[in-house]
Amino acid sequence: MPSLPQPASRPVSGHLQRWGGDPLALLHEGAAVSSKTGKLFALNLGLPAVVGFSPDWNRRLLTDLERFQSRGSFSAVVPYLAGGVILTDAGHAERRGAVNPPFGKRSLEGLRERIRAALRQERPEPTFDALAWADRAVLRMLNAAYFSGDLDAGLLHAFLAPLRHAFPVPAWPRPLLFARMNRALDRLARTRLTEGGDDLLFHLARWPGGVREARISLAAGHDTTTHTLAWAVWHLAEHPGWARPDGLKAVIKETLRLYPPGWMGSRRLSRELEWQGHTLPRGALALYSPYLSARDPELWDAPEEFRPARWEKSPPAWSYLPFGGGERLCLGMHLANLMLEEALLYLLEVAPELRPLHGDPAPRPGVTLGPAGPLVVGPG
């Protein structure tokens, strides 16, 4: 893709070293050099890659599922996410339709009280690290929603722990750990099928491959929700005027805009594409960046600032994508929002006057975007 601009690269490794060291700086540089090419730039990541962040690119990539395919994308190299509906291309709509119902807004309302009760077992100290507390709180809420709290908490923590580290740690095979987790899920699924239930596992276990979908969606939902919750707590401590029940939805949306957990999404081009005068080759990595789209000054006023008031009106179309979009909208979107709202409401109840004490909220990219941390908050 010689016609596309690209950030500075190295002679042998291309952009791989920069991608592994500071990918956000690489993205910002790419965005800066692409202002005259329709917000599209090239990267050399061992194979040709193109990054786009315009609304038109986002819409095309997320709706043209025949040309932009999940198979062979970044998710495939992370065992936690490989397989299931996330990477399904052929038959995706049918598979998604089978696993969607228990994750709908109405279905999840039946789990709200159980999630709320689990959360209250994780009362914070007067002064606490919001990142560490969010990790524990989200683990409890996920266990309640998926398994009615019946999955061994130690196993759940151990299973998800590698996702908290930077690459390449999440990509290392862990056959023994996965085997332990699969055995535990299979035992619980058999119990649900024979004795009944109303948690997410009960619904998923009735479908072929549903237990695997439970494991994959659980992994996809943990760090994403944990990091968003931690940042939301930090920003509420910085902006106490928003620490009220009717302000929390805007706070969550603004946190997800600034720090979309899925900071980079990837597909593979199944065939050549002509895009705004550029020829993109078959087999290239096609990337979209919710992080760049949500910080584009052409689309957002003062995009680097935390301003929940901006959500009094709708965002620019296809510029706000914390949960993806189109047919591949995140399966756990409603569950994540429910947990975030419940956790922040709980903090308003038990810790109503938090202030930021010390910490590092700078974004650190891994499988998901998370704060460098810690994020210590306490009474002002």
Side-chain angles (χ1 to χ4, degrees):
M1 295 174 284
S3 64
L4 284 174
Q6 57 181 285
S9 63
R10 299 187 179 181
V12 177
S13 62
H15 296 103
L16 275 174
Q17 282 182 284
R18 296 191 64 191
W19 183 264
D22 191 351
L24 295 185
L26 183 66
L27 289 181
H28 280 295
E29 185 178 330
V33 301
S34 69
S35 59
K36 296 181 180 179
T37 55
K39 301 179 183 179
L40 197 72
F41 59 93
L43 293 178
N44 177 3
L45 300 175
L47 73 164
V50 57
V51 181
F53 57 101
S54 69
D56 286 344
W57 174 260
N58 294 338
R59 179 174 58 247
R60 180 66 181 274
L61 186 147
L62 289 167
T63 58
D64 186 351
L65 303 187
E66 183 179 345
R67 189 183 299 268
F68 294 91
Q69 299 196 342
S70 293
R71 186 172 167 185
S73 63
F74 284 158
S75 294
V77 305
V78 181
Y80 288 86
L81 305 177
V85 73
I86 290 177
L87 292 180
T88 298
D89 289 311
H92 174 267
E94 294 79 6
R95 184 68 183 164
R96 180 64 183 260
V99 299
N100 255 344
F103 289 93
K105 244 182 183 180
R106 186 173 299 177
S107 295
L108 290 171
E109 276 301 317
L111 299 177
R112 186 180 290 272
E113 286 302 323
R114 184 175 300 160
I115 289 170
R116 186 176 291 166
L119 176 66
R120 277 155 173 70
Q121 297 176 51
E122 202 56 63
R123 186 183 181 97
E125 298 292 332
T127 297
F128 63 99
D129 176 6
L131 184 55
W133 176 80
D135 182 39
R136 298 191 302 269
V138 170
L139 279 173
R140 285 191 183 274
M141 290 188 286
L142 286 173
N143 201 341
Y146 275 84
F147 315 116
S148 302
D150 292 339
L151 184 67
D152 178 82
L155 174 59
L156 180 59
H157 180 274
F159 176 70
L160 296 172
L163 289 169
R164 301 178 180 90
H165 297 276
F167 273 109
V169 175
W172 292 343
R174 292 177 172 80
L176 296 180
L177 180 58
F178 271 60
R180 284 180 59 207
M181 187 65 170
N182 288 337
R183 285 195 299 270
L185 295 185
D186 286 340
R187 285 195 298 269
L188 284 176
R190 286 194 296 270
T191 301
R192 297 294 183 271
L193 291 174
T194 56
E195 300 179 7
D198 60 357
D199 53 27
L200 292 174
L201 183 63
F202 166 73
H203 294 287
L204 292 172
R206 295 180 294 166
W207 298 97
V211 177
R212 181 175 66 167
E213 296 290 0
R215 191 198 73 210
I216 293 170
S217 61
L218 181 71
H222 174 246
D223 277 7
T224 51
T225 310
T226 294
H227 294 154
T228 302
L229 177 55
W231 262 313
V233 173
W234 180 261
H235 282 298
L236 276 176
E238 286 187 316
H239 303 271
W242 286 94
R244 58 183 196 270
D246 65 349
L248 296 184
K249 288 186 185 295
V251 166
I252 291 169
K253 288 179 179 178
E254 182 69 347
T255 303
L256 286 166
R257 181 192 68 82
L258 277 171
Y259 313 108
W263 56 284
M264 175 65 71
S266 66
R267 301 288 188 270
R268 291 290 288 274
L269 278 168
S270 64
R271 58 180 184 269
E272 185 177 278
L273 173 67
E274 292 294 326
W275 183 262
Q276 298 181 351
H278 305 282
T279 300
L280 310 182
R282 177 179 179 272
L285 271 174
L287 309 177
Y288 73 101
S289 177
Y291 174 86
L292 284 181
S293 294
R295 291 173 179 249
D296 185 347
E298 294 182 15
L299 300 173
W300 304 87
D301 182 40
E304 301 293 327
E305 296 181 14
F306 181 79
R307 291 187 179 182
R310 73 174 80 241
W311 292 98
E312 293 173 0
K313 61 181 181 179
S314 298
W318 294 95
S319 64
Y320 175 70
L321 302 165
F323 297 105
E327 289 184 35
R328 290 190 174 275
L329 191 69
C330 175
L331 183 70
M333 177 180 68
H334 297 306
L335 176 61
N337 278 315
L338 187 156
M339 292 191 295
L340 290 166
E341 289 171 15
E342 284 298 326
L344 294 178
L345 282 169
Y346 177 55
L347 283 184
L348 292 187
E349 175 188 325
V350 300
E353 297 182 358
L354 291 177
R355 297 294 180 270
L357 299 182
H358 62 87
D360 185 357
R364 184 184 64 185
V367 175
T368 61
L369 195 66
L375 302 176
V376 180
V377 296

